[in-house]
Every structure is written in C-alpha cells, then in structure tokens.
Amino acid sequence: MKEQFQHQISIRPKLDLIRKSEGLNYDKKQKMFKFFLKTFFVLFIFATVLALLFSYKVISLSRDIFQNGKKSSLFFNLKRLILADDKKIKGEEEGRTNILLLGMGGEGHEGAMLTDTIMIVSIKFNSQEKEVVLISIPRDLAIPYNETSEFKINNLYAREIEKTNDAKKAGEESANIISKIVGVPIHYYIRVDFEGFKKIVDSLGGIEIEVKNSFFDKLYPTEDFGYQTIYFEKGKQIMDGEKTLQYVRSRHGQVIDGENDEASDFARAKRQQQALEAIKDKAFSVSTIFNPKKAHDILEALGDHVRTNLEPGEMLKLFDIALKIEKKKIRNEVIDNSNNGLLYATTSSYGAYILLPQNNDFSIIQSFVQNIFNLKSDELEAVKIIILNGTEIPNLAKKYAEILKTENYNIVFFDNNASSDYEKTVIYNKVKHSFPYILKTLRDRFSANIALDLPKKIKENPEIAKLDWDMIIVLGQNVGETELEITNSKSQ
C-alpha cells in the first residue's frame, strides 16, 4: 500500500506537465466553474426575489386598483398570478375583448369626474395573430337620458358616481351604458386620472411623440382654474408627463406649421391614441421590463390613480398579449363628424354644442364598431362602386379595382376619368349618409374628400350613365408613388 501511494505521488508531477502542455488547468477550470455556479445562483435568487416582490406589489395594490369585490389570501392571489397564463380573459373565446378606457381630471381639477377621454381598446383573437383597434368616442356625443332629453357622454361617469357614491358600480354601469351605445360587449373598464397619467409617463422616463403640426393653445387650463399658453413644435421629441398631458388635452390648438386642424375633439382623440401607443411601446421595451425601479414606480402610480375591474391575473394576461401584438396590427379609429362621417354637430335643448349620429340612429355607430375589424362580405357587396383615374399615372384605376375586389368590394366599373387634374382623391356618394361606416373606411384609406354633386363630365360619361352605382371614387395625385408601389406588389 505504501509503495502504491509513493508511486501515485511520483507520477503526479508528470501528469501536471502533460496537462499544462495540452493547455489543461484543472484548478483553474474548477475555480471558473465555481464562479459561474455562484453567479447563476445569485442571479436566480435575485430574479426570484424580484418576481415575488412584483407579485406581492401587485397583490398589495389589488384592493385599490382591482375593483373586483373579492378579498382573497396572499397564497390564493399568488396562485392566481402563477396560473394566469392558463386563464382566458373575458371575450377571448368569442374572438374579441373590449376594454373601456376613461381618463378624467381627478382631485384638484375642474369637473373632476368628467371623462376627458373615452376610448375602447378592442382586441381581436384568431388562430394566427391578434389585432387591436383603438376607438375614440368624442366627449360631446349626446346619449339619451329619456324620451325627451339627452346628456353628453363625458358626464356619464360623473352622474353614476353621484348616484351610487361607489367607484366600482359607477365604472361598471358606465361600461354597460356605453356597451349599448356602441353595440358590442364591454368586458372591462380602466379609469385613470390626470395625475396618474403624468406619473406613469414620468416613471417610464418620458415617451417619444412625433408631433404632426406645430401649434399653440392660449386657453389651456391651469390648476388654479385660469389659462396658460402651451406650444408644440413639429417633429419627434421626448415628452415628460406634464408635456404629454398637455399634448393629449389641448382643445384650442392653432396650427402655425402644418395642414391639419388641432382645435377639434377629433384631432385631440388622435393625439390621445398616439400617446397611448407610445406609452405601450416604452412600457414593453427591454429598458423598462428589466428595470425594477421603473416597474416599482409604475405600480405606485397605478395604485394611487388607476381603478379597474380587471383581476391581477387578467392584467398580467393582457400584459402578455400586448407584448406579442405587432405595431402594424394596431389601428386607430375616431367616431367623428368630418366629411359626412358617422356624426353631425348640432345644439341641445339647452343650447350646448353636441354631436348626434346621422339620422339620430345609433345603429349607424353600432354597425361601424361591430364591423371595425372586417366588414361583412354581404355588406361590402351591397355597395356598388365605380373607380376612375383622376391622374396621369397609368392603369391606376385598374390596379385599385383589382385590389378592392380581392377584399370583397363590389367594383362595377373602372376607367380613366375625363380630367386628370385631381390633386386629392374624391369620393362621390350618391345618397347622403348612406353606408356611413364603409364610406368612412374608404375615406380614411384614400385620404379622400367626400362630395355629393357629381361633375358634369362624369354624368355625361355614357358608360356610367347606364350603371347603377352608390359611390364613385376618383383617384387623385395624393395616392402617391408609395401607394402605387404597394398596389403594384399586391396585384402581381
């Protein structure tokens, strides 16, 4: 035994020399392995603690944020969070979930309970991919109170909170009433006040906004119920919470560099949608998701200023869904009164400015919202459309006719127009207020003007004179080379 031991000792230096000659150093490798093992262990513990802290933070805020009326143990709530991936949200099995967003002034603001922002986030589910449409409802839309009177929809939540003195009931009843107005079920509501909105943006480190027009507003309200002048310069810029709030709230903007109007509620609705998308992009960025301080600050802002009937697990499920939705699959729509759209402006019985649906028929709005993702084939086929090329771009009408036909539009005729000087596309609608949601879809698609009076040259076209039609689209130069390239690629 002694001789064997001495033999092992004698060959050890030789083995060490062989290992060194072959670049092997077991002591070093063992140290490296131990280092990586310790590092992995520390990171694992850190990640676990963060996950538990996040989960506990969500649960601890549940009584404030999540107004579901349930009181559960910490263990039960943790289990619901862990199993959130296996749980479907409301509406998912039916293929569509609708969430009502309500933005209001809150404490310290004039009209604290009036909803300055009313928006429906509609998520469409199918086997391949998900789509989202943000549908803004104007605050001046008048909804029926009884057979003889109406009130503005931005007063709905305030009326409900005054009636019930219960934020949860007010939110749920507001969602129920708006559901009847738009003709789709509202599965959830989220209410946020101005201060919470600012804190969320600040917690993200600001958001990037591309301002379309340079404009100023001399009548922006101050916290002491006065007015101040605010200014926005055209182009991309990083906005903090206060600047973003000003951007989405401004109602009296005067454009000094640009083409669009910034003084209407519809322009404001589009800015609100723009900011919401920017918040979504920043919130789901790597710099936010892996930043514990940002996550903590956002949760603090939510706890103090946000109320919803979503459960914690459902909120995390929506978070997971939002991560997977591509930006190109998010669309913005505004229920408006521009260019013979869905609404018209008038005055109420007490002299206030209000908006009502065309022909005072809310089914027009309901059809638009119900068909916001895909207009039904039979509805598209019912609208007989003529396409004319009002430019010198060859075969433009033919190319668009082919594309629209693949989308189930009923194209009854296409040709070159008698004149080729149309700078902007015009849609001639045969009967005023007919097919409003299809008209709006085409108007937005082509950035078109809407008209009723058909030019004499088109009327005298013998081919058109013998046709039965509902709309004539005269394509203008604004279609542009980019649109033409897209059209070419689709028609090949």
Side-chain angles (χ1 to χ4, degrees), residues 49-176:
V49 170
L50 277 181
L52 288 172
L53 285 174
F54 178 79
S55 300
Y56 179 77
K57 188 68 178 177
V58 171
I59 293 166
S60 67
L61 294 171
S62 294
R63 291 183 181 179
D64 294 329
I65 302 176
F66 306 105
Q67 299 180 327
N68 50 29
K70 299 176 182 178
K71 292 184 179 180
S72 305
S73 68
L74 175 63
F75 175 77
F76 181 76
N77 279 312
L78 275 171
K79 185 176 76 171
R80 285 196 297 166
L81 285 172
I82 293 168
L83 299 177
D85 285 342
D86 298 329
K87 183 177 180 180
K88 290 185 181 295
I89 59 174
K90 294 177 183 177
E92 187 174 353
E93 289 189 347
E94 291 74 31
R96 181 173 175 179
T97 296
N98 302 298
I99 304 166
L100 176 66
L101 301 185
L102 298 173
M104 62 183 205
E107 188 177 346
H109 291 270
E110 188 176 10
M113 294 296 163
L114 297 178
T115 47
D116 207 57
T117 300
I118 307 167
M119 191 183 300
I120 297 171
V121 180
S122 195
I123 307 169
K124 179 187 177 185
F125 299 89
N126 56 43
S127 57
Q128 296 179 338
E129 54 194 11
K130 301 174 182 66
E131 299 176 63
V132 174
V133 179
L134 308 180
I135 310 166
S136 289
I137 302 174
R139 51 179 280 157
D140 292 319
L141 175 66
I143 60 176
Y145 174 62
N146 53 40
E147 293 182 357
T148 59
S149 63
E150 68 283 318
F151 63 91
K152 289 186 180 183
I153 198 168
N154 75 317
N155 198 30
L156 174 59
Y157 182 83
R159 293 170 71 98
E160 293 303 319
I161 199 77
E162 184 178 358
K163 187 192 305 182
T164 63
N165 197 30
D166 185 314
K168 178 178 180 291
K169 289 181 181 178
E172 290 178 343
E173 188 58 26
S174 296
N176 289 336

Side-chain angles (χ1 to χ4, degrees), residues 50 53-54 56-58 60-61 65 199-200 203-204 288-304:
L50 277 181
L53 285 174
F54 178 79
Y56 179 77
K57 188 68 178 177
V58 171
S60 67
L61 294 171
I65 302 176
K199 285 185 176 180
I200 289 169
S203 299
L204 292 169
T288 300
I289 293 173
F290 293 100
N291 187 322
K293 185 180 185 308
K294 282 187 178 181
H296 174 272
D297 292 344
I298 292 169
L299 284 172
E300 287 290 343
L302 292 175
D304 292 337

Side-chain angles (χ1 to χ4, degrees), residues 297-362:
D297 292 344
I298 292 169
L299 284 172
E300 287 290 343
L302 292 175
D304 292 337
H305 301 280
V306 175
R307 297 293 178 267
T308 181
N309 61 343
L310 279 157
E311 293 186 1
E314 291 171 323
M315 182 70 87
L316 293 181
K317 178 74 174 180
L318 279 173
F319 179 85
D320 182 58
I321 290 170
L323 278 173
K324 297 174 182 176
I325 295 174
E326 298 180 50
K327 189 177 180 67
K328 65 181 180 180
K329 292 294 182 180
I330 301 175
R331 196 170 87 242
N332 299 321
E333 294 288 349
V334 180
I335 298 174
D336 62 17
N337 68 332
S338 60
N339 294 326
N340 293 328
L342 300 173
L343 309 175
Y344 73 96
T346 184
T347 54
S348 67
S349 55
Y350 48 90
Y353 172 85
I354 59 172
L355 296 166
L356 288 172
Q358 300 291 356
N359 301 322
N360 296 338
D361 184 0
F362 279 91

Side-chain angles (χ1 to χ4, degrees), residues 278-458:
I279 290 172
K280 181 257 184 188
D281 291 342
K282 189 67 177 287
F284 297 151
S285 65
V286 173
S287 63
T288 300
I289 293 173
F290 293 100
N291 187 322
K293 185 180 185 308
K294 282 187 178 181
H296 174 272
D297 292 344
I298 292 169
L299 284 172
E300 287 290 343
L302 292 175
D304 292 337
H305 301 280
V306 175
R307 297 293 178 267
T308 181
N309 61 343
L310 279 157
E311 293 186 1
E314 291 171 323
M315 182 70 87
L316 293 181
K317 178 74 174 180
L318 279 173
F319 179 85
D320 182 58
I321 290 170
L323 278 173
K324 297 174 182 176
I325 295 174
E326 298 180 50
K327 189 177 180 67
K328 65 181 180 180
K329 292 294 182 180
I330 301 175
R331 196 170 87 242
N332 299 321
E333 294 288 349
V334 180
I335 298 174
D336 62 17
N337 68 332
S338 60
N339 294 326
N340 293 328
L342 300 173
L343 309 175
Y344 73 96
T346 184
T347 54
S348 67
S349 55
Y350 48 90
Y353 172 85
I354 59 172
L355 296 166
L356 288 172
Q358 300 291 356
N359 301 322
N360 296 338
D361 184 0
F362 279 91
S363 66
I364 293 175
I365 294 176
Q366 293 164 4
S367 294
F368 177 72
V369 175
Q370 289 164 359
N371 297 289
I372 201 77
F373 288 102
N374 292 306
L375 294 171
K376 296 177 182 177
S377 295
D378 56 348
E379 293 172 328
L380 292 173
E381 290 169 3
V383 184
K384 296 176 280 295
I385 299 173
I386 293 172
I387 300 181
L388 300 175
N389 183 4
T391 76
E392 294 182 356
I393 301 173
N395 299 319
L396 194 62
K398 179 178 182 293
K399 289 180 179 5
Y400 269 103
E402 290 174 351
I403 293 300
L404 292 177
K405 281 180 180 178
T406 65
E407 298 173 12
N408 295 318
Y409 284 91
N410 183 9
I411 309 301
V412 297
F413 180 73
F414 64 87
D415 198 0
N416 289 323
N417 191 44
S419 58
S420 57
D421 58 352
Y422 276 67
E423 292 186 4
K424 188 169 184 178
T425 300
V426 178
I427 301 177
Y428 296 97
N429 206 24
K430 192 172 189 179
V431 179
K432 189 175 182 181
H433 306 324
S434 62
F435 308 107
Y437 44 92
I438 295 178
L439 180 64
K440 184 179 187 301
T441 300
L442 291 171
R443 182 201 74 196
D444 292 346
R445 179 174 186 157
F446 293 105
S447 298
N449 289 329
I450 308 297
L452 289 170
D453 297 327
L454 199 63
K456 186 177 180 182
K457 287 183 179 180
I458 297 179

Side-chain angles (χ1 to χ4, degrees), residues 197-220:
F197 180 83
K198 290 194 297 183
K199 285 185 176 180
I200 289 169
V201 174
D202 286 336
S203 299
L204 292 169
I207 57 174
E208 185 178 76
I209 295 283
E210 183 174 4
V211 180
K212 303 297 183 183
N213 306 290
S214 295
F215 68 96
F216 67 93
D217 183 348
K218 291 183 176 181
L219 297 174
Y220 186 82

